[in-house]
């Protein structure tokens, strides 16, 4: 499933593209499920926020944490199962699912997700192995907010971060000039490390840009998090 060359690329560059993680019929399942979250048919209000940090009634960047807590069947579906299998190959057999989330950029909102490193959200842990799998539910491209990554940025210390707006996303300094953009077809994905610097442009199109993200780390580190009360469902703040 993953070659040694791909594994080395992930270790050295901090990200890895994997095409066609799931089938078209699977994409249809996730698309329908996703819409049930967005239109509140599935009530995720306790885990839902707007990453733009705005005070407007219309969400620009909808984030729904731990959707599998509300729809447990997700844990047995292809995205969770296949991304875990790949994460174990990339980082080791002790890797497990830490948490999952949905992030949607609403049509014509044109609001960036600022440059950041995921590790800035987390407590500092002795074993820093961590990866996120970002799965495109819609075609992701520059105009609607595909991901940009700064290669090798995970090899340096975590940058200083600040929070935007009203409990919005964290941000740090970054630039497209030394970064790469990753356009994905529905059902394809990109893995990135916890320290990999990334961002996305705003959505200037007439359609949603939906993504489902699974996040992985060693089981011992997940246990350490939970012992300290961290379950990725609460307030966002700089931990490092």
């Amino acid at each position: 499933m993953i070659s040694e060359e791909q594994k080395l690329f992930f270790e050295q560059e901090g990200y890895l593209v994997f095409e066609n993680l799931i089938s078209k019929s699977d994409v249809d399942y996730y698309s329908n499920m996703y819409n049930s979250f967005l239109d509140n048919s599935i009530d995720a209000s306790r885990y839902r926020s707007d990453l733009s940090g705005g005070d407007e009634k219309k969400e620009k960047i909808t984030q729904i944490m731990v959707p599998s807590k509300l729809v447990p069947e997700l844990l047995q579906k292809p995205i969770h199962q296949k991304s875990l299998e790949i994460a174990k190959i990339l980082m080791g057999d002790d890797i497990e699912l830490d948490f999952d989330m949905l992030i949607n950029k609403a049509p014509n909102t044109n609001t960036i997700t600022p440059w950041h490193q995921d590790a800035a959200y987390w407590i500092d842990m002795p074993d820093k192995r961590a990866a996120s799998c970002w799965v495109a539910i819609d075609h992701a491209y520059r105009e609607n907010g595909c991901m940009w990554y700064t290669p090798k940025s995970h090899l340096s210390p975590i940058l200083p971060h600040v929070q935007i707006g009203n409990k919005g996303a964290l941000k740090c300094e970054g630039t497209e000039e030394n970064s790469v953009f990753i356009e994905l077809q529905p059902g394809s994905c990109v893995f990135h490390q916890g320290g990999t610097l990334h961002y996305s442009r705003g959505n200037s199109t007439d359609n949603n840009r939906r993504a489902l993200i699974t996040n992985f780390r060693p089981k011992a580190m997940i246990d350490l998090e939970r012992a300290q009360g961290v379950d990725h469902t609460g307030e966002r703040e700089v931990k490092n």
Side-chain angles (χ1 to χ4, degrees), residues 89-101:
I89 295 172
L90 292 175
M91 296 189 295
D93 290 338
D94 60 336
I95 296 297
E96 298 292 347
L97 177 72
D98 190 358
F99 63 100
D100 52 9
M101 60 182 168

Side-chain angles (χ1 to χ4, degrees), residues 66-79:
V66 293
S68 61
K69 283 185 177 291
L70 300 173
V71 184
E73 70 181 54
L74 284 172
L75 296 172
Q76 305 306 320
K77 293 295 183 178
I79 287 180

Side-chain angles (χ1 to χ4, degrees), residues 28-139:
D28 291 340
Y29 161 81
Y30 286 104
S31 179
N32 292 330
M33 178 274 301
Y34 211 118
N35 289 339
S36 294
F37 276 101
L38 292 179
D39 67 14
N40 292 312
S41 297
I42 300 173
D43 182 9
S45 55
R46 63 185 294 195
Y47 303 132
R48 184 168 181 155
S49 62
D50 185 352
L51 280 177
S52 74
D55 294 318
E56 301 175 21
K57 291 184 179 180
K58 180 181 178 181
E59 293 173 343
K60 295 178 179 179
I61 308 175
T62 301
Q63 181 184 58
I64 298 174
M65 299 300 295
V66 293
S68 61
K69 283 185 177 291
L70 300 173
V71 184
E73 70 181 54
L74 284 172
L75 296 172
Q76 305 306 320
K77 293 295 183 178
I79 287 180
H80 284 69
Q81 292 291 305
K82 291 184 177 181
S83 61
L84 174 59
E85 183 180 357
I86 295 172
K88 285 179 177 288
I89 295 172
L90 292 175
M91 296 189 295
D93 290 338
D94 60 336
I95 296 297
E96 298 292 347
L97 177 72
D98 190 358
F99 63 100
D100 52 9
M101 60 182 168
L102 309 177
I103 298 181
N104 175 59
K105 292 202 166 192
N108 299 303
T109 47
N110 207 27
T111 303
I112 70 165
T113 301
W115 288 101
H116 68 283
Q117 294 158 294
D118 293 341
Y121 286 98
W122 306 332
I123 60 172
D124 192 16
M125 284 175 277
D127 187 338
K128 301 186 185 303
R129 285 177 295 156
S132 299
C133 176
W134 195 99
V135 185
I137 306 301
D138 304 299
H139 179 203

Side-chain angles (χ1 to χ4, degrees), residues 182-194:
I182 306 295
E183 297 186 331
L184 296 172
Q185 292 297 319
S188 292
C189 68
V190 56
F191 284 79
H192 66 265
Q193 301 214 31

